[in-house]
Amino acid sequence: MGSYNWIFLTFFGGFVAVSGIESWNHCTSNPDCRCIPNSYKNYIADCSNLAIAEVPRTRPDVDTLNIGHNRISHIMHPFSPTLVNLDMSYNQLQNFTHDVFANLTRLRTLNLEGNQLQLDESVLRPEVFRDLKALRSIYIKKTIVKARSTFPYKMWGHLSSLETLRIDVISSTQFGRQFRSLTSLTALNVSGLSGFCSIEEIGEKFLENLPLLEILDLSCCHIKGFSAGALKKQQNITVLDISYNEKFTFASFANITSDLQFSKIKVFKANKIHCTYGIGTLLQIRDVMHFKNTSLEELYLENNRLALVERYAIRYFPPTLRIVSLVRNKMALGAYLMDVLFLTGMESLDLSLQMTSKPTSKLIDAFICQNPLRPSDNTIERHSNKYNTEPFQMRYNANISVTLPRNLRTLILRTIGIRLELSAIHVNPSNQLTHLDLSQNVITSFKGPIIGFNKLQYLDLSGNLCSLLSTRLFDFTTALQVLKLNNNLLGFSLKDDLDGGTFKNQVNLQELDLSDNRIQQLHEKLFKNLGKLQKLNLSSNFLTEWNVKIDNMWNLIMIDISDNTIMQLSQDATVSIAEISKKNRHFKIFLADNPFACSCDSRHFLQWSSKNRKHISDFHQMKCKLDNGTSFGFQDIETVLRLLEIQCKNYQVLTFIITSVIVCFVIIIVTGLVYRYRWKLRYLFYMTKNKYRLAKPIYQDTFTFDAFISYADEDRDFALHESISQLEKSRGLHLCLDKRDFRPGTEIAANITEAITKSRKTIIILSNHFLNSYWCMYEFNMARMESIYTRDGKGVLFMVMYRHVTAKMLPLSMLALVESHSYIEYRDDPQGNVVFWDKVADTCKNPSD
């Protein structure tokens, strides 16, 4: 009789609830919830992030309820039995009543992460999930773990349908016989990255009751060791992640790979299982030899201080291996690289960020991390001589021939310390490479050609401090779609391309990035062959005008010329852009951060901008200045145009007045400059007179001094004491020094001119102080003129890099000298200083050097 009463009350209660719900016009009792129709003619009720403290009631047609990220601490009424998915994550739940999940027989997914639930049997009681017969996934992460917590072992008997389990674990956790009832469990996640995990040792019996696991995540669990046989029963495993267990190292790595042989493993992640400042390690044959008996497809060994691979070890990788990632290691060049060709199935290889510096926040690692060695000591220091290794840095200038694995499609060599001039590269023509990243290295010139990359679609050469881009580089690379050349120094090289030779074969190119290249000028025909180009980025350069022809680029959807020095776009430029925008309604141009002028001359551009603002992505960030310095944002462009209309009516009169003022001003300035720099002009006159007075220039065969030392006062100790000691006393040179050899009573300019003329060489002691000194720069420029006008272009200047100076600080004339290698660096090294002063002395004695 009691059971009949229970059925009657349940039916009556459900009828009353349904009757009340049908009166709602909303899928829940809370109108703030979002109701989203799903593909099964039911609804998803999204009540997350509403700061509610009570669970809303739902209609029978709601099968998914999301009440995550709220303030719910108690559940006051039962859930609807029609629910299939329930998300209660990140609330304030501390406990459950015995019937909180009663009648949820259709529930498949339950998320309890981020609550205040204690990981203990007092909260997760044996009967709490009793009615969840259909449950497939349960998430119990970010719980409260106390010192005496007891892992809940008794509640799993009711969850035979469970397939995915995400749960925190403590050091005493063992997946013992209580877990045998989880006969459907295929995915287990105990990662400390998404919760709490503390397992020091994975023993043989740790997972023996979960033989059907396919996905296992043990990352960040403080694991120190893996017993042999711990994974022997996991023959169905396809994904294994043991990353971020820094105390594990490679000491028992072979135990894992041995257990995985003959399994179904596809993805193996062992990132950062070696502490940050640990000993560099060698990947041995014994570590990977058992992979040959698997069908492994993806291998991740990132951030492990791997420095070397034992010869022939790579040959044990299976032909199914497609993806290999060795990011952030300290790889050295060695004979093992020859074995990479045996990875016939490899499609992606990532070797980026080799030898990169570690964050200072990890310095404590250097003192506390432990690196247990293997039975055969595997430290790189022991094997480096055996394998003739050297740091993974290349410094070659010769032609390079490369043979790539036959199926390799993606190769990432970003920031690996390559230092070279990119001459001809020949690659086996059968290669399948489509993606190549060589960014953030030091490739100072792109000479080429690159031969054999017939299928290359993506090439990144950005951030290489390159100043030379040959017109032959891409002669044999016609499939490129994306080319990144940003953050280089290509302004000088591109300026000389008058007929578009650099990109003449890039007929399939869709995206070109030339931003941040110190470009001052581009010829109008530079991009004439890029008919398929869609995105062109020339931002952060020094362009003063935009005169590049884009009439053939009907596929353009974006041009970025922001952050340059353009004052206005010419009428021809605006007409071309207007034609492109008519053909492509999605076309956008970026123009902000240019010093646009609000003037009569720029009225046409301002009017065009106002009419075409829908095609200018950063229109509201653009600004222009009136002649009086007043700045206006383009959101007030109509006001600016009205002001200009009034001002430009008397434009001719105003122009005459301004021109007269300018002429007077220029006369005054020129007169003042002639008086102020009369000694400079006398010097130029002297050189010009001697150059053109005779058919052949006069050369001075003998000089009073071997070298004139030009330095800043702040560098006086080095310039005087070191130079006198090393060059005069030790090497017999006769130096001209201002403090000693300048004639008293004579003007400084005259003394400088005379010193440069009577000296075979002028040695510049370069530092930031030198660049900031007026007289130092005067001496530099006078020496340049001496070289040009008196000595028929032969080198007079010799530069000593005494203090490091960035390229941005150097004037263009001095930067050209640096690029011609007419300098030497001073290194404060006792042994290196001998060679340094010998080279300086030899240069001063031999005028042809």
Side-chain angles (χ1 to χ4, degrees):
M1 186 67 181
S3 60
Y4 288 107
N5 289 336
W6 172 251
I7 294 172
F8 173 75
L9 290 174
T10 302
F11 174 79
F12 180 74
F15 174 78
V16 172
V18 171
S19 299
I21 291 173
E22 287 177 347
S23 64
W24 301 344
N25 292 322
H26 199 270
C27 67
T28 71
S29 59
N30 188 330
D32 292 330
C33 296
R34 296 167 292 279
C35 298
I36 307 169
N38 64 21
S39 57
Y40 299 100
K41 297 182 180 179
N42 291 322
Y43 285 88
I44 298 172
D46 186 359
C47 305
S48 61
N49 294 289
L50 296 179
I52 58 177
E54 183 179 347
V55 178
R57 295 180 181 273
T58 59
R59 287 193 322 216
D61 57 356
V62 172
D63 64 0
T64 299
L65 175 61
N66 183 356
I67 52 174
H69 296 272
N70 283 299
R71 301 175 182 174
I72 300 171
S73 59
H74 296 88
I75 301 174
M76 306 302 296
H77 56 79
F79 292 101
S80 169
T82 61
L83 287 180
V84 176
N85 304 296
L86 176 58
D87 187 345
M88 296 191 292
S89 60
Y90 298 96
N91 278 282
Q92 300 174 11
L93 296 171
Q94 297 182 10
N95 210 329
F96 302 115
T97 59
H98 70 282
D99 59 348
V100 64
F101 300 118
N103 300 320
L104 290 180
T105 55
R106 297 176 57 188
L107 194 68
R108 298 172 64 89
T109 303
L110 176 60
N111 190 348
L112 298 171
E113 289 187 355
N115 281 283
Q116 298 178 15
L117 299 170
Q118 184 176 339
L119 187 68
D120 196 282
E121 288 187 343
S122 62
V123 175
L124 299 174
R125 299 181 301 279
E127 71 280 2
V128 69
F129 300 131
R130 179 185 54 201
D131 296 320
L132 305 183
K133 304 296 184 182
L135 195 66
R136 299 288 188 271
S137 303
I138 186 168
Y139 310 141
I140 315 176
K141 284 274 192 176
K142 295 187 178 179
T143 57
I144 297 176
V145 179
K146 295 186 177 180
R148 296 184 178 181
S149 294
T150 303
F151 187 80
Y153 288 107
K154 299 179 181 179
M155 65 180 184
W156 309 104
H158 307 291
L159 302 177
S160 59
S161 297
L162 194 66
E163 297 175 354
T164 301
L165 173 61
R166 290 165 52 95
I167 191 168
D168 292 336
V169 294
I170 54 180
S171 57
S172 61
T173 302
Q174 292 289 331
F175 294 96
R177 58 184 179 81
Q178 299 91 342
F179 286 84
R180 293 178 182 176
S181 58
L182 301 183
T183 55
S184 301
L185 190 67
T186 58
L188 176 62
N189 182 329
V190 298
S191 172
L193 297 175
S194 56
F196 180 83
C197 182
S198 178
I199 312 171
E200 290 192 357
E201 183 75 26
I202 304 294
E204 292 185 47
K205 297 183 178 181
F206 185 76
L207 296 166
E208 68 174 354
N209 295 295
L210 301 172
L212 300 179
L213 283 180
E214 297 176 7
I215 302 174
L216 177 60
D217 191 344
L218 296 170
S219 59
C220 197
C221 283
H222 307 285
I223 298 173
K224 293 182 179 179
F226 242 94
S227 299
L231 296 173
K232 198 168 186 178
K233 291 188 177 181
Q234 273 63 49
Q235 294 302 298
N236 294 309
I237 196 163
T238 59
V239 179
L240 175 61
D241 191 347
I242 60 168
S243 303
Y244 302 102
N245 289 293
E246 299 181 37
K247 298 180 181 179
F248 180 66
T249 71
F250 285 84
S252 55
F253 191 81
N255 291 345
I256 298 177
T257 57
S258 176
D259 288 349
L260 291 176
Q261 63 178 325
F262 307 114
S263 71
K264 297 179 181 179
I265 188 71
K266 300 292 183 185
V267 180
F268 184 41
K269 295 183 178 181
N271 301 326
K272 209 175 194 311
I273 60 171
H274 208 71
C275 40
T276 304
Y277 289 93
I279 300 172
T281 189
L282 167 74
L283 191 65
Q284 296 179 334
I285 291 177
R286 66 187 296 269
D287 297 326
V288 298
M289 61 185 295
H290 299 291
F291 278 138
K292 68 179 180 180
N293 298 319
T294 69
S295 298
L296 187 68
E297 295 181 2
E298 300 180 23
L299 177 62
Y300 301 88
L301 295 174
E302 301 174 3
N303 210 356
N304 277 312
R305 296 189 68 79
L306 282 173
L308 191 61
V309 179
E310 187 177 359
R311 186 70 189 274
Y312 307 123
I314 292 177
R315 301 188 185 188
Y316 287 89
F317 288 116
T320 55
L321 188 62
R322 297 185 301 106
I323 300 174
V324 177
S325 180
L326 296 172
V327 176
R328 285 191 181 278
N329 282 290
K330 48 180 294 186
M331 300 299 293
L333 293 173
Y336 70 92
L337 289 174
M338 302 297 294
D339 294 334
V340 174
L341 294 178
F342 288 88
L343 300 179
T344 56
M346 185 170 61
E347 298 176 4
S348 175
L349 175 61
D350 192 346
L351 288 169
S352 57
L353 302 171
Q354 300 297 322
M355 303 292 179
T356 54
S357 58
K358 304 298 181 182
T360 55
S361 59
K362 292 283 187 179
L363 281 176
I364 191 67
D365 241 8
F367 302 98
I368 65 173
C369 80
Q370 300 174 356
N371 293 278
L373 301 181
R374 314 183 203 192
S376 56
D377 182 0
N378 71 307
T379 60
I380 188 60
E381 288 77 6
R382 174 175 176 174
H383 293 276
S384 58
N385 292 331
K386 177 181 178 181
Y387 291 106
N388 298 318
T389 64
E390 61 181 51
F392 202 89
Q393 297 182 353
M394 298 187 291
R395 295 181 174 86
Y396 306 116
N397 298 327
N399 296 344
I400 301 173
S401 295
V402 180
T403 302
L404 298 175
R406 65 187 182 191
N407 288 307
L408 187 66
R409 287 172 172 79
T410 300
L411 178 59
I412 304 176
L413 301 174
R414 181 178 67 253
T415 316
I416 67 170
I418 296 176
R419 297 175 182 271
L420 53 78
E421 293 181 359
L422 191 60
S423 299
I425 296 182
H426 298 262
V427 186
N428 52 310
S430 61
N431 77 86
Q432 303 294 315
L433 200 69
T434 61
H435 184 118
L436 176 59
D437 188 343
L438 287 167
S439 61
Q440 305 301 320
N441 288 290
V442 185
I443 306 176
T444 56
S445 65
F446 303 145
K447 294 180 180 178
I450 301 176
I451 303 173
F453 288 116
N454 302 321
K455 298 182 179 180
L456 191 65
Q457 298 177 6
Y458 180 101
L459 178 59
D460 192 344
L461 296 172
S462 61
N464 275 290
L465 299 177
C466 178
S467 58
L468 174 62
L469 180 62
S470 170
T471 56
R472 300 178 56 241
L473 181 63
F474 305 116
D475 279 358
F476 303 94
T477 309
T478 59
L480 273 181
Q481 296 180 9
V482 178
L483 178 58
K484 294 184 176 295
L485 295 167
N486 51 295
N487 196 20
N488 282 293
L489 299 169
L490 299 176
F492 299 104
S493 181
L494 293 176
K495 182 181 178 182
D496 297 331
D497 188 350
L498 304 180
D499 198 38
T502 304
F503 307 110
K504 61 179 178 293
N505 291 323
Q506 303 315 302
V507 293
N508 295 303
L509 197 64
Q510 298 178 13
E511 182 177 343
L512 176 61
D513 192 345
L514 288 167
S515 60
D516 198 8
N517 264 292
R518 303 186 72 171
I519 299 173
Q520 295 180 336
Q521 181 182 352
L522 293 176
H523 196 269
E524 61 180 15
K525 295 182 180 180
L526 181 63
F527 305 131
K528 70 177 185 179
N529 298 301
L530 305 183
K532 293 185 179 180
L533 198 67
Q534 297 179 9
K535 297 180 180 180
L536 176 60
N537 190 348
L538 284 159
S539 61
S540 301
N541 281 296
F542 301 149
L543 289 171
T544 57
E545 59 180 351
W546 177 254
N547 60 350
V548 179
K549 295 291 186 183
I550 58 172
D551 298 338
N552 61 319
M553 300 181 186
W554 300 115
N555 296 298
L556 269 180
I557 59 175
M558 188 275 286
I559 295 179
D560 190 347
I561 52 176
S562 61
D563 193 17
N564 278 279
T565 57
I566 300 172
M567 299 189 69
Q568 64 170 315
L569 295 183
S570 66
Q571 189 167 355
D572 290 341
T574 56
V575 169
S576 297
I577 294 171
E579 290 296 323
I580 296 292
S581 62
K582 287 179 182 178
K583 296 286 184 180
N584 190 343
R585 59 189 180 89
H586 299 295
F587 173 79
K588 297 290 183 183
I589 186 169
F590 293 80
L591 295 169
D593 297 317
N594 278 291
F596 295 123
C598 300
S599 64
C600 294
D601 290 337
S602 64
R603 278 181 68 192
H604 173 269
F605 166 65
L606 299 177
Q607 291 169 347
W608 174 85
S609 299
S610 179
K611 293 178 181 178
N612 293 274
R613 64 181 68 190
K614 66 178 181 180
H615 292 294
I616 304 176
S617 288
D618 48 4
F619 179 82
H620 293 289
Q621 284 75 51
M622 294 168 62
K623 296 179 180 180
C624 68
K625 282 187 178 182
L626 291 172
D627 294 336
N628 61 7
T630 304
S631 179
F632 283 91
F634 270 46
Q635 65 270 19
D636 300 321
I637 192 71
E638 282 76 14
T639 303
V640 176
L641 289 172
R642 285 195 295 270
L643 288 172
L644 291 177
E645 185 177 359
I646 297 171
Q647 292 180 5
C648 296
K649 287 181 179 179
N650 299 319
Y651 181 73
Q652 292 181 344
V653 176
L654 185 61
T655 302
F656 175 77
I657 296 173
I658 292 174
T659 303
S660 301
V661 172
I662 290 175
V663 169
C664 294
F665 181 74
V666 169
I667 292 173
I668 294 172
I669 292 297
V670 170
T671 303
L673 289 174
V674 168
Y675 179 79
R676 176 65 179 83
Y677 297 104
R678 60 191 183 280
W679 289 110
K680 279 188 177 181
L681 295 174
R682 287 185 181 181
Y683 184 81
L684 286 172
F685 174 76
Y686 168 80
M687 290 190 296
T688 305
K689 180 179 178 181
N690 280 277
K691 186 174 181 67
Y692 293 106
R693 185 177 60 179
L694 299 174
K696 292 182 63 177
I698 297 175
Y699 292 97
Q700 191 169 347
D701 296 327
T702 58
F703 297 90
T704 305
F705 304 98
D706 292 302
F708 166 57
I709 308 298
S710 176
Y711 62 94
D713 284 342
E714 290 81 357
D715 305 324
R716 181 185 304 166
D717 289 338
F718 171 81
L720 296 182
H721 299 157
E722 290 288 324
S723 298
I724 292 172
S725 173
Q726 297 292 339
L727 295 178
E728 283 196 340
K729 294 181 180 180
S730 299
R731 291 167 177 82
L733 269 68
H734 189 194
L735 303 179
C736 179
L737 303 170
D738 58 349
K739 302 297 183 184
R740 182 185 67 186
D741 301 305
F742 276 17
R743 288 186 300 168
T746 304
E747 286 195 45
I748 295 176
N751 268 320
I752 290 172
T753 304
E754 184 178 358
I756 292 172
T757 304
K758 291 184 178 181
S759 300
R760 179 177 289 110
K761 290 284 185 179
T762 296
I763 298 178
I764 302 297
I765 309 299
L766 186 62
S767 67
N768 285 321
H769 300 303
F770 186 95
L771 295 175
N772 294 327
S773 170
Y774 169 80
W775 286 113
C776 287
M777 294 305 295
Y778 179 87
E779 291 167 352
F780 169 75
N781 285 299
M782 288 302 99
R784 285 178 60 239
M785 289 188 285
E786 172 77 9
S787 175
I788 295 170
Y789 294 106
T790 302
R791 305 195 192 177
D792 199 19
K794 292 191 174 182
V796 173
L797 279 166
F798 181 72
M799 192 177 300
V800 173
M801 287 282 191
Y802 176 54
R803 300 294 186 199
H804 178 69
V805 178
T806 61
K808 291 185 177 180
M809 293 289 294
L810 295 176
L812 293 178
S813 56
M814 192 173 287
L815 187 61
L817 191 66
V818 171
E819 291 183 348
S820 66
H821 305 293
S822 296
Y823 72 97
I824 186 171
E825 288 188 52
Y826 174 74
R827 302 182 182 275
D828 194 5
D829 174 21
Q831 295 181 351
N833 283 351
V834 176
V835 177
F836 168 84
W837 289 112
D838 285 341
K839 288 183 178 181
V840 174
D842 185 58
T843 302
C844 294
K845 291 177 180 179
N846 298 284
S848 60
D849 289 342

